[in-house]
Amino acid sequence: MILENYQIKLKRVEFEDLEYIRIARNSDFVRKNMIYQKIISKKEQQEWFKKINNPENFYFVIIHKSEKVGLINLKDVNMENKSAEGGIFLFSREFASNDISMRASIMLTDFGFYELNLKKILDRVRKDNILAIRFNKAIGYSFHELDSNVLVGELFLDEYEKFASRYRNLFNKLYNLTN
Amino acid sequence: MKKLDLGEFINDFASLFNDLQVQLTESTNFKEIEEWDSLVALSLIALVDEKYGIRLLGEDIRSVTTILELYQKLLSKQY
């Protein structure tokens, strides 16, 4: 499964992607912002893949010009209460401090709300991950405290749309040349 | 659309940050500014689109490091 828009691709994670993701996930740049911060072994990575390689979990590699630059997900999709948990990380600061993260987030959040018909998307972030909190607020998330280290964000469609249309218009203009 | 001026562009660039701790000059490596992140990059892209009518892409930002190089990239795209 591949989603494509705004000159990037979201390719569903396959077994062949695991080692590349694991190495990036274990880098200091990525790990320091994660709730789970231990180094992940090959075996743990493969066990993780078994848990997420199913219709309840959508994990995508973000691909820019044939280069794997990040991972984005909607996990624990619950079709009864129409909810899922989102997440994203870019593999390097070079890509994290670019517009790719927002292009990918708009694509996958649109997929969640309009293809999966979700009503709510959650996100858990470390309290000290100021950039992630700021980023999520910029697409409409509101946060509350889960515990002393973690915040939970909630995103609903009506709030998301107050922010998303501006990004879609900009990205269509820049990358899809519709204007 | 407004014509690009380096001094004005540096001021515009500085206005994108909420709490800028450094004095920007044309030789500033903007990617080393602590507050530089994806949202500031998006604000920059939106600003140059709205004010100067220039389509600045993410890969354009990746290809430069200083404010002068960014300004020159914008100049090359304006015409």
Side-chain angles (χ1 to χ4, degrees), chain A residues 16-32:
Chain A
E16 66 188 25
D17 301 313
L18 292 186
E19 188 58 7
Y20 195 92
I21 295 168
R22 188 181 75 88
I23 291 169
R25 174 65 173 76
N26 282 338
S27 69
D28 289 345
F29 170 75
V30 173
R31 204 157 47 87
K32 71 179 181 187

Side-chain angles (χ1 to χ4, degrees), chain A residues 126-154:
Chain A
R126 289 174 61 91
K127 253 184 181 175
D128 58 4
N129 191 352
I130 304 300
L131 294 184
I133 295 165
R134 218 166 76 83
F135 183 89
N136 283 324
K137 283 183 175 175
I139 58 172
Y141 274 89
S142 57
F143 283 92
H144 63 269
E145 195 172 286
L146 179 68
D147 59 39
S148 57
N149 297 317
V150 178
L151 299 180
V152 174
E154 291 183 321

